[in-house]
Amino acid sequence: MLPTSRHRLLATAASVTLMLAACGDGGGDDSNTPCSSLDIMREAQSLTADEASCILALHNAARASVTPAADPPLEPLQWDGGLAGAASAYAQTCPTVPATDGHGENLWKGTAGHFTIADAVNKWVSQKQWFTYGQPCAAPAGEYCGHYTQIVWAPATKVGCGYAKCDGDIIVACNYDKIQSGSDMPY
């Protein structure tokens, strides 16, 4: 099951591109970006402020670029330390399935040393390719839409993420304050 004051987020394509460039889009040399700094060999297994900012920017870029456009636009997610702590604690258990603690959740697993934080979030966001608003998910076998729809779930206003090293892999977990339901119409 593995493959995270209120102003309206009005992002243009240029600002989305800038956010992805600032955080690393997972598709090029991201060696000098906050999202590439997740060194799974380091002993501390909590996210740095830059990493948390990057994860938040990637989430909010996805929310700003939903198709069809949300009216009104989706509120940007805010970082929540409590959700991040819960996500980190769950990741430390080396899970293979989502928790059932009442939070929305995305989990991602990859081989340690080969992936960045941006890769985890971008994997979830890439599920948009199989999502058509109001229609059942059209993902091929073994793929999903639910990670993407959790990110763009309109009632969600907060996110917090963590990670852990697990037997040569890295687990990235993001918790959301609202769990999605009815994923064909997330906003």
Side-chain angles (χ1 to χ4, degrees):
M1 305 241 11
L2 294 178
T4 315
S5 127
R6 299 179 72 159
H7 295 81
R8 299 239 187 262
L9 179 64
L10 300 174
T12 62
S15 65
V16 170
T17 300
L18 288 174
M19 281 190 270
L20 294 175
C23 295
D25 64 5
D29 179 12
D30 297 333
S31 59
N32 295 315
T33 64
C35 284
S36 67
S37 67
L38 181 57
D39 177 0
I40 56 83
M41 299 319 239
R42 71 180 188 217
E43 289 305 312
Q45 293 189 9
S46 60
L47 297 172
T48 67
D50 284 344
E51 291 164 344
S53 292
C54 183
I55 289 172
L56 188 60
L58 291 169
H59 275 77
N60 285 331
R63 290 172 69 87
S65 63
V66 294
T67 305
D71 185 21
L74 296 175
E75 295 286 335
L77 295 173
Q78 302 297 317
W79 189 261
D80 184 277
L83 290 172
S88 182
Y90 189 62
Q92 300 290 325
T93 70
C94 301
T96 58
V97 296
T100 55
D101 60 4
H103 294 125
E105 182 179 71
N106 279 337
L107 288 176
W108 179 87
K109 177 181 177 181
T111 304
H114 296 279
F115 298 98
T116 68
I117 294 170
D119 292 319
V121 179
N122 286 330
K123 175 62 176 171
W124 299 329
V125 173
S126 76
Q127 294 173 357
K128 180 179 182 177
Q129 67 186 303
W130 302 302
F131 173 78
T132 301
Y133 190 86
Q135 300 295 317
C137 177
E143 296 290 348
Y144 308 93
C145 295
H147 303 99
Y148 170 72
T149 55
Q150 178 63 66
I151 290 171
V152 300
W153 184 244
T157 60
K158 298 176 184 175
V159 64
C161 305
Y163 78 98
K165 297 180 286 185
C166 296
D167 300 321
D169 291 324
I170 183 169
I171 304 286
V172 177
C174 288
N175 282 353
Y176 305 83
D177 63 329
K178 303 286 192 275
I179 192 167
Q180 69 171 338
S181 61
S183 63
D184 61 336
M185 296 177 63
Y187 55 89

